[in-house]
């Protein structure tokens, strides 16, 4: 028998009998996908068919049960997307099933070496100790490369550790990718020369399927400090591919665009922690951007904290990564965020800084605020 | 000014005032993603910022409004994923926003040449006229290549036009991709030689990011009749890339694994028609598999019919594609499906055939049933 890994699902059901039937259906759907009465005896039934290992009422009081199902590593076939398919492929389409937690096994770790850098690597690159990381984004789409590079300069001069492209910046005619990359790396370098800082530029490499690795290598060659992409659009395996690529060694920042449907419903998709924490570490992302609580998105404070915990929790030796809450983060919210996240976090602040009359000093006030220094 | 395209969203809101505010927030979020008061005047505000073009109560009586927002082609930058990002990137994460319809513009069609084959190409390959297409799947994972090839043979001999891999078959040790591809193409060819039919084998090329194009080319070289992949895992641009690839000309079948979160909620994600119809045609899929109504998934008959209509509707000259409902399709359901879908459909039937004592004759009965011939 091969090693088995587990997935725990929240299964919405009126009673244990219904929950058990739904869980057995998941075990079938996610593996053999044929009626139970024609599952071939022997290897397929004994090894490949999912096994219901545990079923109990939900501890959080949601109207359902937690079903833990084990699957064989043989079914993964060394393929990360097949792992995702086993975890949630067809069952993602059934209402009232949510992936709560994924329990790894050795074979998964062989496919997924995980983040190369993690939070410590991102801090080392920025030359800082155990304090929060700061990231901002140049935007909006439609500005010229010169204007965007000027923003990158000012963010870096103000003390942001990572200055990323807005996730909507790709290869628009107003600021083509290669031109923007060069100009922003230069602008951040110029700011570093003035400040003695070690800020990095982070281009968005979300793009045509055939261009992503090429842009990643261009970014490294040009002197970028990390790259960003949105795996719900680019596909999840490209992150893993880059994190294990022999010629590419930069950190990877993941953006949540288009992933919302995976986490927006309380009774379908993934738990916040399994999606932004476990899956992102398996993919090899070093930083996971997600919408912060209390802003214009709907995540709760507790959900965001669960993401942060999953980014840091022991996970079979995979490096801890940095949770990067963004979306409506402004100065007023910093004190509560300090309380919620502690130091192991990356503050992603964009619009709130752009609203300030002087961008450089606004960045400095932000840096003071996140470390609890009075301005 | 560049041409503009539109997206119509269902916006859940208590009243028109709230709906208008939410719609204006979408227009901001999906384009400039900065507070309204710092949107730069001129090109960014006039061209890039989304414009609310229409707002009206939902005609279907859902508790919200339909907001139509227009976006500039300049924002797309020739990048299909950036189009998806504009359509729904960050707003996918906000509860109570659903993409209802996408209104194309000329620049989108320049990026997305669409399906190469469509339903007519799939019929021509199978050598049939305007009758329903038949597809089945070899499974389960865990069977040997020989056993899977035997199934492929029998499905083809029974008259299935397309015989696909189960979407969980990748490169497992029990049946490695290249070995299975060769064996199944041969087995289907042998059946065709006996029957005089023109069945095709359709391998699953969902896999590591760097292997997908390679497997597609291998499939073509080996004599497969189409390929299948699951874009919610592989990324959406790889379908477009293959559909426009100079060295690859096979039809593409899309599988819905892992996409469920996009369509499972009535108040978030995409409408069934925009996701499985419009988006799949833009990507260049020739057949879109989705869960049929009345089976073990939750789609309604009307939702499934809306998909079928969107696969066929006039879409600026993009070829009509074939809706491929599957998942629990059995003999009892054929009469109602004939009524629901008419002839422009691909019946995807797997488990129900495997439950029959004689697979070849079961396929023949299915072919009779879908064309309304008495058995």
């Amino acid at each position: 028998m091969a090693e088995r890994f587990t997935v725990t699902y929240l299964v919405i059901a009126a009673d244990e009998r219904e929950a058990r039937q739904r869980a057995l259906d998941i075990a079938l759907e996610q593996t053999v996908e044929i009626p139970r009465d024609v599952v071939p005896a022997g290897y397929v039934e004994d090894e490949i068919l999912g096994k219901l290992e545990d079923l109990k009422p939900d501890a959080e009081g949601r109207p359902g049960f937690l079903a833990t199902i084990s699957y064989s590593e043989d079914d993964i076939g060394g393929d990360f997307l097949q792992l995702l398919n086993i975890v949630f492929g067809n069952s993602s389409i059934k209402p009232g099933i949510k992936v709560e937690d994924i329990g790894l096994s050795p074979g998964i770790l062989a496919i997924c070496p995980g983040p190369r850098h993690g939070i410590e690597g991102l801090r080392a690159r920025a030359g800082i100790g155990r304090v929060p990381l700061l990231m901002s984004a140049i935007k909006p789409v439609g500005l010229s490369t010169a204007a965007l590079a000027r923003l990158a300069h000012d963010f870096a001069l103000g003390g942001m550790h990572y200055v990323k492209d807005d996730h909507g910046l790709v290869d628009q005619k107003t600021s083509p990718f290669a031109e923007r990359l060069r100009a922003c790396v230069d602008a951040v370098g110029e700011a570093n020369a003035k400040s003695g800082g070690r800020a990095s530029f982070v281009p968005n490499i979300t793009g045509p399927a055939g261009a992503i690795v090429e842009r990643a290598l261009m970014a490294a060659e040009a002197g970028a400090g990390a790259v960003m992409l949105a795996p719900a659009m680019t596909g999840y395996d490209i992150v893993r591919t880059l994190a294990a690529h022999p010629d590419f060694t930069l950190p990877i920042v993941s953006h949540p665009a288009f992933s919302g449907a995976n986490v927006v419903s309380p009774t379908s998709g993934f738990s916040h922690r399994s999606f932004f924490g476990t899956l992102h570490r398996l993919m090899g992302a070093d930083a996971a951007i997600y919408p912060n609580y209390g802003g214009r998105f709907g995540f709760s404070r507790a959900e965001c904290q669960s993401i942060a915990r999953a980014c840091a929790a022991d996970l079979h030796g995979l490096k801890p990564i940095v949770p990067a809450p963004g979306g409506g983060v402004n100065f007023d919210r910093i004190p509560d965020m300090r309380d919620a996240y502690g130091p192991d976090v990356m503050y992603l602040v964009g619009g709130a800084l752009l609203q300030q009359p002087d961008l450089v000093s606004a960045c400095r006030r932000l840096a003071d605020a996140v470390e609890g220094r009075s301005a």
Side-chain angles (χ1 to χ4, degrees), chain A:
Chain A
M1 300 286 283
E3 297 269 358
R4 299 182 78 82
F5 64 98
T6 59
V7 182
T8 299
Y9 303 91
L10 172 67
V11 178
I12 302 300
D15 55 33
E16 181 164 343
R17 180 196 167 98
E18 183 192 351
R20 181 171 304 274
Q21 189 52 56
R22 294 203 75 193
L24 292 171
D25 288 347
I26 295 170
L28 205 66
E29 183 80 50
Q30 295 308 106
T31 55
V32 294
E33 209 204 332
I34 51 177
R36 183 65 184 86
D37 59 348
V38 292
V39 174
Y43 177 78
V44 175
E45 184 172 36
D46 299 340
E47 176 73 39
I48 297 295
L49 179 62
K51 289 187 190 5
L52 179 58
E53 305 283 359
D54 191 44
L55 185 71
K56 59 189 177 198
D58 178 51
E60 297 175 31
R62 293 171 294 184
F65 288 74
L66 294 177
T68 298
I69 297 174
S70 74
Y71 301 107
S72 168
E73 284 187 354
D74 279 3
D75 195 358
I76 303 174
D79 186 323
F80 181 58
L81 295 187
Q82 171 62 0
L83 170 61
L84 296 190
N85 181 47
I86 297 168
V87 169
F88 208 38
N90 274 8
S91 288
S92 74
I93 319 177
K94 293 182 175 175
I97 300 175
K98 192 177 186 75
V99 174
E100 289 286 307
D101 287 298
I102 303 169
L104 308 185
S105 66
I108 293 177
L109 299 168
I111 306 167
C112 301
R116 267 198 238 244
H117 303 271
I119 186 168
E120 288 316 317
L122 287 164
R123 279 182 173 138
R125 185 173 288 267
I128 58 174
R130 196 179 174 201
V131 295
L133 287 147
L134 297 172
M135 179 159 63
S136 194
I138 56 171
K139 51 183 165 179
V141 174
L143 291 185
S144 67
T145 293
L148 292 165
R150 174 58 181 261
L151 287 173
H153 171 275
D154 290 356
F155 281 131
L157 192 63
M160 306 303 286
H161 306 118
Y162 291 89
V163 181
K164 74 174 188 67
D165 272 336
D166 179 60
H167 72 283
L169 285 165
V170 290
D171 197 35
Q172 288 93 351
K173 67 181 182 189
T174 41
S175 181
F177 177 81
E179 174 188 289
R180 185 174 69 252
L181 170 64
R182 282 192 304 272
C184 290
V185 167
D186 286 351
V188 168
E190 189 188 318
N192 286 341
K194 291 176 193 164
S195 69
R198 293 170 60 177
S200 288
F201 180 63
V202 184
N204 176 33
I205 60 166
T206 306
I212 295 175
V213 171
E214 180 192 345
R215 289 185 188 175
L217 296 173
M218 277 174 69
E221 173 75 21
V227 296
M228 179 179 77
L229 74 178
M233 296 193 290
T234 61
Y236 297 94
D237 194 70
I238 189 70
V239 180
R240 191 201 56 80
T241 299
L242 284 173
H245 198 288
D247 302 322
F248 178 77
T249 60
L250 292 181
I252 300 170
V253 176
S254 163
H255 193 282
F258 215 74
S259 74
N262 286 307
V263 288
V264 86
S265 160
T267 57
S268 61
F270 285 80
S271 68
H272 295 74
R273 63 182 177 272
S274 66
F275 189 79
F276 289 110
T278 315
L279 267 191
H280 278 68
R281 287 170 78 184
L282 282 175
M283 272 186 255
D286 299 285
I289 298 174
Y290 62 91
N292 194 37
Y293 65 93
R296 59 191 195 272
F297 297 89
F299 290 16
S300 74
R301 192 175 190 269
E303 286 163 349
C304 290
Q305 288 179 303
S306 76
I307 293 170
R309 282 194 300 273
C311 286
D314 178 54
L315 193 67
H316 300 263
L318 294 187
K319 288 184 177 152
I321 65 174
V322 63
V329 173
N330 60 37
F331 284 90
D332 294 344
R333 317 226 1 251
I334 302 294
D336 190 66
M337 289 178 71
R338 292 184 63 219
D339 187 51
Y341 292 115
D344 296 335
V345 66
M346 179 184 263
Y347 287 83
L348 171 54
V349 188
L353 294 171
L354 294 171
Q355 284 180 304
Q356 302 298 313
D358 178 50
L359 187 56
V360 176
S361 66
C363 292
R364 290 178 180 149
R365 283 196 292 126
L366 178 72
D368 286 339
V370 301
E371 293 193 45
R373 295 186 294 266
S374 51

